Amino acid sequence: MSSYIRAPSPSPSDESSDLDLDLEELDPTNGGGGGGAGYSAGYRSILGENHRSSFSPTRRGRTSVDGAAGPGRIALRRMKGPEGPEGPEDEEALLGRRSGEDTHDEGGPSNPRDRSATGGGERQLLQRLGSRISLRSATGEDAVIDFTPSKETRVVGLRPSGAGAKYPPNIISNHKFTAFTFLPLTLWHEFSFFFNLYFLVVALSQCIPALRIGYLSSYIVPLVFVLAITLGKEAHDDIARRRRDTEANSELYEVLSFTDGGVPGRKKGVRLGKKSAAGAEGQDLGGGGDDGIRTVPKKSKDLKVGDILVLKKDDRVPADVVILKTISNEANQVEEGGGDGASGETFIRTDQLDGETDWKLRLAPALTQVLRSSSLAHLTITASAPSKEVNNFVGSISYSPPTRGPTTPSTPGTSTALVPGASSSSPSALPATASSSVGLSVDNTAWANTVLASNSTTLAAIVYTGPETRAALSTSRSRSKTGLLEKEINNLTKILCVLTFSLSIALVALQGFENNQNKPGVESPEDPGEVVSGSWYVKILRFLVLFSTIIPISLRVNLDMGKSAYALFIERDKGIKGTVVRTSTIPEELGRVEYLLSDKTGTLTQNDMELKKIHVGTVSYAGEAMDEVSDYIRLGFSAGGGNDASGGVQAASVIHSNAATTRTRREIGSRVRDVVLALALCHNVTPTTAAEEGASEATTTYQASSPDEIAIVRWTESVGLRLSHRDRKGMRLQRAGTGEVVVRVKILEVFPFTSEGKRMGIVVQFVPGEKGEESDLLGGGGVEGANPNTGDIWFYQKGADTVMSSIVQANDWLDEECGNMAREGLRTLVVGRKKLSVQRYQEFSAKHKAASLLLANRDKGMGKVVEEYLEHDLELLGVTGVEDKLQKDVKPSLELLRNAGIKIWMLTGDKVETARCVAVSAKLVSRGQYVHTVAKLKRKDQAYDVLEFLRNKTDSCLLIDGESLALFLDTYKSEFISLAVQLPAVIACRCTPTQKADMARLIRAFTKKRICCIGDGGNDVSMIQAADVGVGIVGKEGRQASLAADFSIEQFCHLTKLLVWHGRNSYKRSAKLAQFVMHRGLVISVCQTMFSIASRFEPIALYQGWLLVGYASLYTMAPVFSLVLDRDVDERLANLYPELYKELTEGRSLSYRTFFVWVVVSAYQGGIIQGLSQLLVGLDQFKRMVSVSFTVLVLNELIMVALEITTWHMWMIFAELGTALFFFASIPLLGEYFDLKYVISWAFLWRVAVISAISLVPPWILKAVRRRLKPPSYAKVREI
């Protein structure tokens, strides 16, 4: 292991400030259009995502609408469609409702065909911004988004005549070759190996008559066979990749298509794309006619930038899109325009991009949410250049509606709200002829490969396609992987080649560098006059051909066939059922792994959370004790008798009235009710109701960005308090048994969880009311301020104990109980609350809103206000312990792998706290081991301090986030990796897919060790492809990682058997097989050398024709190849003593030492066989001498294989006996080479027996003595 590299200490220096845009340019009013709302929204989004992330209706209405973002897969489905009028029927058509229903468009805009297009100053502003964006990221004040210099900010118009053609096509391309590059690239790769190139040169030399020895086919056929197998595998794999690409590229998606009415300046009857606007294809969204909007199917590969997709539940996003509008499919929520049912909210699943199966909330901009579908054609999106950063996006969207004419002023009728019923203060009240602009952030996007999870229809505009999508930029191209064993064999063949050259030159030198005729030293060689030696260099070349068996071409044949056998053994193993070998060229690499880089979500964990324990100060509840909690909830929320929906609120108010009393005096029942109510309200969970296919009743599911929150809300339902409704404005809670609404609240503020804050808060106002008033209670404004006549205002907060301990009131049990839960591997959350007066809340709200408008230090200002008014002296309610269920047998699997000498790193895109909890519960971090957390490093001197600390504490575990990791890789790459590889465990969280792949490459480059990467999501593909061995798990996150991996398994625990059993066997078998094949070639080459010396150094073949071909194939191949069935220990011992695996990483099974031992053995046996054959038979009896030496040569190889076998298998016995019988049975057919009369004599038999004994007994004795004095490890454990 390399020692730690000490880095020079940097001198602290101030960070250079980012290049900010001129604020005047961020004012849309400078462009001649847009009002104040557009102004504030525009500049805020351009500066980044530092807008307030809240469900507050006031804030949502005022700001630029935080949008939806998510990562996605490279184009999986798509469809195309036409465009139509601004009638209210468009939502109905999108949802598949009957167009015959009565709808009225009150105060809608006039016929858009009478309007003309206006460029608008807003578009000019956005174009000016296009070349100047170098903006702040929302991930931190000082973080800067780095765009590719060669690419520019794009302006995308959503009209049919948009500029989508100038951007790359939306085509998935995972294949390696084309029809023209397949042969050149594959042959180049094959002949980059020295022994393949050597075999090619030898085979081509046989085209020269003076160098031809034996049959031409004996040299050409084996080479062609090897190349055919390799090329066939590559072709098969690439064809499979192309087939998957074709399926993905051909999937259909619906696209909006606008007719004449939706697009200004287009003459009636002009064809839109390949289909006429009035064609029969597609779905009419507007009720028919030229003014209708239609959806037409469009293949994924035909989608272009600017197309508007129509996505529905479970549709996978085919490209990077900006969400424009959502329309709920739930019958009780579908409304025209922008009512509650069309709030612009949708959920996406991002498992294939960031590895998290949690649903992410995304929002359509308020500007576009209230527009009718026909008006979407008048939108223009300005988007930043394509980037790998899946958590960042900077852009804006502007609406420039057409007017009646260039000289016709707007009438009052055309300035009414776009959506009936919209208030004048809402974004939907924008004049129909006024240009408007709002900013876009990552919350408004859905990246390719994400899946729409909500039961809604979503309209989204494509901004990036194909290779420019986040998923494509974050995914590495697949590479051809070559095993370490092949590289080692390649080096050994170079040594053999040097030996061959040296031997050939030496034999010619001993004769003298003269141009003599052929003068053989025997009387009757095979046609001695066939060759005229001529020049000395010709002799050297002939010797090189004669000794080409030293580097046997059958080596590649045997190794490739062996790899196929290992792959078959793996796939047929019932203990790891479902395992698939996708790369059969590197199974022996499974036996050489020293570093394992693992994903977390879905790999080590099931991503299935469950609340296991709750502590309320003096009492803990877990297991069966949860029934007692249910009793408290049933009693606590039944005060109103059940008929009055405000009864639960009244009961809650009673509980609240006791908040001032000390905790020690409160009853246990009140404490339990308080903490359960707090958990039922303090979250970002949204319930959705949908009927599954074949189901008679609809089922309710919970959607949230964190599985912890879903687990907590499920638990509150299990104890009797169910979340029945939630939107941006409020929540309703029901009693689980009766369905009676017991709690209603208005949501005043929401403070989402962040990695920096490690806490989540919410301000709610309890609202009493009858059941009939529910829609009014939750549908009112509610956020302009608290109504003094309604219920109390409470601030609830939950978070990590490290931050909450300083926020809640002083206590003596919090730290102890959190420590107890952490030791149990539970994720702890501390829950607290604080009551606010109306005046106090209004004061807070005013200051908070003012801070949210700051251009500089906005987050810091908002945080300071929250801290001043809310985050202090909270009443401590309790602590929850949530368990993230691990995969089956993860703990023993990780322990076994560590004992096998494998260092395990966990790389995840999840939060720091989550990664820590999983590392502890999975025993990746041993109990009591110090975990050094490194997060949010921004300066070089801070990184240096961390290195200095870890340098003096190498027994600690490192927990580092992606931002800090990027800093280390930029500033102290060598120093960091040299130190990190010495630590017992490293956990990297918030890693991007690219960072995961970079870490795999960096470890391999620095340590020169074999790296195995395992994951289950699309975000793990780059890491898997960058590893020496990539393993994919088929799980909840799809099959993308499994398809890209070298080996696919179904559970993490299968990895242990794959490595410790199959990997070990594959490597040891391949090593032994390679050495025997080289031994077989060396022995016959030594025999040839002995004969050449005896024949006065002439390059004459000893074994010609069939003898040379048969020796390497029919007479020895089956016994040698049967070594792929050998095993030194059984599976039980391999798992019981994982240290046996550790030995393999040292490469002792095939090393220079073992190689030279086999060279010595081969030289001894070849010299004995040919030397004694020449002495006991004589050179004058050439056929008799060949009969004896060749027979001993074959028997020697068969017996040597038998002596090396550790565990006999039925097929081994069959191969040994069958080959021996076949050889003796074929002797009568060898009359051309053997003296058959001599073969059946006793003279032949005793000579064969004596020479065989002298050849085999000494090596066997030496091996037995060595095993007795220094037995191998496997022999020791077999004896236990």
Side-chain angles (χ1 to χ4, degrees), residues 538-767:
V538 175
K539 294 181 182 180
I540 292 178
L541 293 176
R542 283 179 58 82
F543 273 125
L544 288 175
V545 175
L546 285 173
F547 296 145
S548 63
T549 52
I550 291 179
I551 312 174
I553 188 145
S554 57
L555 177 61
R556 284 302 306 274
V557 177
N558 280 272
L559 289 177
D560 285 347
M561 293 176 61
K563 292 173 182 179
S564 298
Y566 307 147
L568 187 65
F569 298 157
I570 292 172
E571 291 184 342
R572 290 190 175 183
D573 190 336
K574 295 182 180 179
I576 50 175
K577 191 175 182 181
T579 301
V580 179
V581 179
R582 303 193 187 279
T583 306
S584 61
T585 57
I586 56 171
E588 67 279 350
E589 290 294 276
L590 293 169
R592 309 290 293 277
V593 173
E594 293 191 54
Y595 286 88
L596 174 65
L597 275 57
S598 173
D599 179 41
K600 177 192 72 69
T601 308
T603 303
L604 296 179
T605 70
Q606 300 178 23
N607 204 35
D608 187 6
M609 308 293 180
E610 182 180 357
L611 192 146
K612 287 288 190 180
K613 191 174 184 179
I614 186 168
H615 189 91
V616 294
T618 57
V619 183
S620 284
Y621 296 95
E624 296 180 356
M626 292 298 183
D627 295 337
E628 190 176 346
V629 177
S630 300
D631 294 337
Y632 287 131
I633 297 303
R634 186 175 63 255
L635 294 174
F637 290 95
S638 61
N643 294 328
D644 187 354
S646 65
V649 177
Q650 293 170 358
S653 300
V654 174
I655 298 171
H656 297 159
S657 66
N658 297 328
T661 63
T662 62
R663 291 182 50 80
T664 55
R665 296 180 181 178
R666 294 180 61 191
E667 297 179 355
I668 296 297
S670 297
R671 296 177 184 175
V672 172
R673 291 193 297 270
D674 284 348
V675 72
V676 173
L677 179 62
L679 293 173
L681 294 175
C682 186
H683 54 72
N684 266 324
V685 179
T686 302
T688 60
T689 303
E692 298 181 359
E693 294 184 7
S696 57
E697 296 183 359
T699 58
T700 299
T701 58
Y702 295 116
Q703 302 174 355
S705 59
S706 170
D708 301 67
E709 294 201 321
I710 293 178
I712 290 174
V713 172
R714 283 176 178 166
W715 177 81
T716 62
E717 179 181 359
S718 70
V719 297
L721 201 57
R722 175 191 298 146
L723 175 66
S724 62
H725 174 79
R726 192 233 175 87
D727 57 22
R728 299 186 191 185
K729 302 175 182 178
M731 282 184 278
R732 288 196 297 265
L733 302 181
Q734 296 177 342
R735 283 201 299 192
T738 63
E740 178 185 3
V741 176
V742 293
V743 177
R744 300 178 184 83
V745 296
K746 289 183 178 180
I747 298 175
L748 303 183
E749 304 285 346
V750 176
F751 310 102
F753 180 91
T754 62
S755 296
E756 299 85 358
K758 302 180 182 178
R759 57 194 182 275
M760 181 266 172
I762 187 170
V763 179
V764 297
Q765 182 178 30
F766 286 85
V767 182

Side-chain angles (χ1 to χ4, degrees), residues 88 229 275 379 425 438 451-452 614 675 728 771 804 809 1096 1130 1216 1265:
I229 290 178
K275 295 180 173 61
L379 293 171
S425 62
V438 296
V451 177
L452 188 67
I614 186 168
V675 72
R728 299 186 191 185
K771 292 181 181 178
M804 292 294 292
Q809 296 171 352
R1096 299 180 183 179
D1130 58 23
E1216 287 280 338
V1265 171

Side-chain angles (χ1 to χ4, degrees), residues 1031-1222:
V1031 181
I1033 296 180
V1034 180
K1036 295 180 180 179
E1037 297 189 17
R1039 297 178 57 86
Q1040 189 173 359
S1042 168
L1043 295 173
D1046 304 311
F1047 301 89
S1048 171
I1049 59 178
E1050 293 186 347
Q1051 299 179 31
F1052 181 85
C1053 60
H1054 291 174
L1055 181 65
T1056 58
K1057 188 171 188 180
L1058 195 64
L1059 297 180
V1060 176
W1061 175 242
H1062 288 290
R1064 184 175 184 276
N1065 286 339
S1066 298
Y1067 170 63
K1068 289 187 71 71
R1069 289 165 176 171
S1070 288
K1072 186 178 289 187
L1073 180 62
Q1075 290 175 136
F1076 256 98
V1077 173
M1078 286 188 287
H1079 166 267
R1080 184 174 63 187
L1082 282 168
V1083 169
I1084 194 173
S1085 297
V1086 172
C1087 291
Q1088 176 66 54
T1089 302
M1090 296 294 293
F1091 175 70
S1092 297
I1093 293 174
S1095 60
R1096 299 180 183 179
F1097 308 104
E1098 289 295 338
I1100 301 175
L1102 171 61
Y1103 307 119
Q1104 298 188 7
W1106 171 251
L1107 294 184
L1108 193 62
V1109 176
Y1111 171 73
S1113 55
L1114 298 179
Y1115 295 151
T1116 60
M1117 185 171 182
V1120 171
F1121 185 72
S1122 69
L1123 291 172
V1124 300
L1125 301 172
D1126 191 22
R1127 62 185 186 187
D1128 51 7
V1129 295
D1130 58 23
E1131 184 179 347
R1132 182 186 64 85
L1133 288 177
N1135 290 324
L1136 190 60
Y1137 300 99
E1139 293 80 7
L1140 294 172
Y1141 182 90
K1142 191 174 183 179
E1143 292 182 342
L1144 304 185
T1145 60
E1146 300 174 3
R1148 293 180 179 177
S1149 298
L1150 181 62
S1151 61
Y1152 288 115
R1153 178 181 173 278
T1154 59
F1155 169 72
F1156 284 113
V1157 168
W1158 278 100
V1159 169
V1160 172
V1161 171
S1162 302
Y1164 167 77
Q1165 291 183 331
I1168 291 295
I1169 293 171
Q1170 184 59 29
L1172 291 182
S1173 296
Q1174 292 175 177
L1175 290 176
L1176 296 179
V1177 179
L1179 290 176
D1180 54 342
Q1181 301 294 327
F1182 182 74
K1183 282 192 174 183
R1184 292 187 177 185
M1185 184 265 295
V1186 169
S1187 302
V1188 172
S1189 64
F1190 189 79
T1191 301
V1192 175
L1193 192 65
V1194 172
L1195 294 178
N1196 178 81
E1197 196 67 21
L1198 297 181
I1199 297 173
M1200 282 293 290
V1201 170
L1203 293 177
E1204 285 294 320
I1205 291 176
T1206 307
T1207 304
W1208 283 88
H1209 189 277
M1210 176 187 68
W1211 289 106
M1212 292 179 170
I1213 299 173
F1214 178 79
E1216 287 280 338
L1217 297 180
T1219 299
L1221 291 175
F1222 178 79

Side-chain angles (χ1 to χ4, degrees), residues 175-185 238 242:
H175 59 269
K176 298 180 183 178
F177 313 105
T178 66
F180 300 101
T181 62
F182 175 72
L183 277 178
L185 292 180
D238 211 51
R242 280 182 171 273

Side-chain angles (χ1 to χ4, degrees), residues 239-285:
I239 289 173
R241 283 189 288 266
R242 280 182 171 273
R243 187 177 295 114
R244 293 193 294 267
D245 290 348
T246 301
E247 291 175 0
N249 291 328
S250 300
E251 286 205 61
L252 295 177
Y253 284 84
E254 292 182 5
V255 177
L256 283 187
S257 180
F258 299 90
T259 59
D260 302 337
V263 183
R266 183 178 287 279
K267 294 182 179 180
K268 190 172 181 178
V270 177
R271 294 171 59 90
L272 299 177
K274 296 181 179 180
K275 295 180 173 61
S276 170
E281 299 184 15
Q283 179 184 0
D284 192 350
L285 298 181

Side-chain angles (χ1 to χ4, degrees), residues 894-912:
L894 291 177
E895 182 180 2
L896 188 146
L897 292 174
R898 277 199 300 268
N899 292 335
I902 299 175
K903 290 191 175 182
I904 303 170
W905 290 32
M906 186 172 77
L907 309 179
T908 176
D910 218 332
K911 299 182 286 290
V912 174

Side-chain angles (χ1 to χ4, degrees), residues 81-96 105 109 112 115 158-160 254-259 261-264 283-287 291-295 306-311 324-328 335-338 342 367-379 397 399 402 418-420 457-461:
E83 318 165 23
E86 299 182 348
E89 297 90 345
D90 53 2
E91 285 88 351
E92 297 179 6
L94 284 170
L95 296 173
D105 185 4
R115 306 168 185 165
L158 305 188
R159 298 164 178 77
E254 292 182 5
V255 177
L256 283 187
S257 180
F258 299 90
T259 59
V263 183
Q283 179 184 0
D284 192 350
L285 298 181
D291 293 338
I293 299 178
R294 303 169 64 86
T295 62
D307 283 348
I308 300 178
L309 293 175
V310 181
L311 300 171
L324 303 177
K325 184 173 184 176
T326 65
I327 307 170
S328 175
E335 299 179 15
E336 288 298 325
L367 172 65
T368 59
Q369 175 64 28
V370 298
L371 294 176
R372 293 184 177 83
S373 299
S374 57
S375 299
L376 299 180
H378 307 297
L379 293 171
I397 186 168
Y399 176 65
L418 292 174
V419 178
T457 298
T458 299
L459 304 184

